[in-house]
Amino acid sequence: MNLSFGCAVAANLLFTVFEAVLAFKAGSVGLLADAGHNLSDVLGLVLAWFASYLVTRKAGERFSYGYRRTTILAALINAVVLVVASLYIAYRSFEKMLQPAEVNAELVILVALVGIVINGGAALLFIKQSHHDLNIKGAFLHLAFDALISAGVVVSGLLIFLTGALWIDPLVGLIIVAVILIMTWRMLADALGLMLDAV
């Protein structure tokens, strides 16, 4: 599992830097927002990795029940980060609707395709364990949502390239935000239930 986390963190961190640099070059606010969201996911992955390490530590005098609940805490924080990142993307999308700007659609499509490969591949590293551990599920969802966001950026880039309609980019951004919030709500509810020992 450490290898999975290490590969996912390294790949996503490198891609985030790559995406941010090319977002400025393409003049794409949507791509830049995606890079910011990817950075939040790198932080979320590091947090989930640390929680997975704490679970392996034995109970002591101070923490007599051990550290198993840290994975629930990490999942809760991951869900909150996803919600905050989604709200930021929604804000940027509304801003872009009010003030449309030209973008390099070809570059946006290329970078987003790389994002699908990186995030989709990293998500596959966690898919098997995501059914048994809420912390791993949080990491998996972060990466899967990133791949989804990248796919949305590819679609918007293609449509902008074909039609020249700049309002498509922020509209796709808002659709992606809605999907993320719907999917994240369940994980947030599960994490809160476990934290509060719900029946």
Side-chain angles (χ1 to χ4, degrees):
M1 186 49 58
N2 281 337
L3 181 61
S4 296
F5 273 114
C7 290
V9 167
N12 275 273
L13 187 58
L14 287 172
F15 176 67
T16 298
V17 174
F18 168 78
E19 186 177 32
V21 170
L22 291 182
F24 283 109
K25 188 172 182 181
S28 172
V29 177
L31 207 56
L32 188 60
D34 187 36
H37 182 249
N38 277 328
L39 182 60
S40 76
D41 285 347
V42 170
L43 297 174
L45 281 170
V46 170
L47 185 65
W49 191 0
F50 184 62
S52 290
Y53 160 71
L54 285 178
V55 167
T56 63
R57 294 190 63 191
K58 292 181 179 178
E61 286 184 22
R62 181 159 169 75
F63 296 98
S64 57
Y65 290 99
Y67 299 86
R68 278 179 280 172
R69 286 198 173 224
T70 56
T71 60
I72 301 167
L73 183 61
L76 184 63
I77 293 170
N78 264 332
V80 171
V81 168
L82 268 174
V83 169
V84 171
S86 297
L87 293 176
Y88 173 73
I89 294 169
Y91 166 76
R92 295 301 297 224
S93 296
F94 280 120
E95 189 178 55
K96 197 167 182 186
M97 275 187 172
L98 296 172
Q99 297 178 336
E102 288 292 330
V103 296
N104 183 336
E106 296 97 326
L107 187 56
V108 168
I109 293 166
L110 179 64
V111 174
L113 284 171
V114 174
I116 293 172
V117 173
I118 297 287
N119 291 305
L124 290 175
L125 295 172
F126 299 100
I127 194 166
K128 192 173 181 182
Q129 293 86 359
S130 68
H131 302 296
H132 312 293
D133 186 329
L134 197 58
N135 179 44
I136 303 299
K137 184 178 182 180
F140 168 74
L141 286 176
H142 263 290
L143 294 164
F145 288 151
D146 272 353
L148 179 64
I149 288 170
S150 294
V153 173
V154 168
V155 170
S156 66
L158 281 169
L159 291 174
I160 291 169
F161 178 75
L162 294 172
T163 68
L166 298 176
W167 57 266
I168 293 170
D169 183 42
L171 178 64
V172 170
L174 290 173
I175 292 169
I176 291 168
V177 164
V179 172
I180 290 172
L181 290 176
I182 290 167
M183 298 295 286
T184 303
W185 182 253
R186 179 66 187 166
M187 187 177 71
L188 185 59
D190 287 346
L192 281 171
L194 287 168
M195 285 291 286
L196 299 174
D197 291 323
V199 177

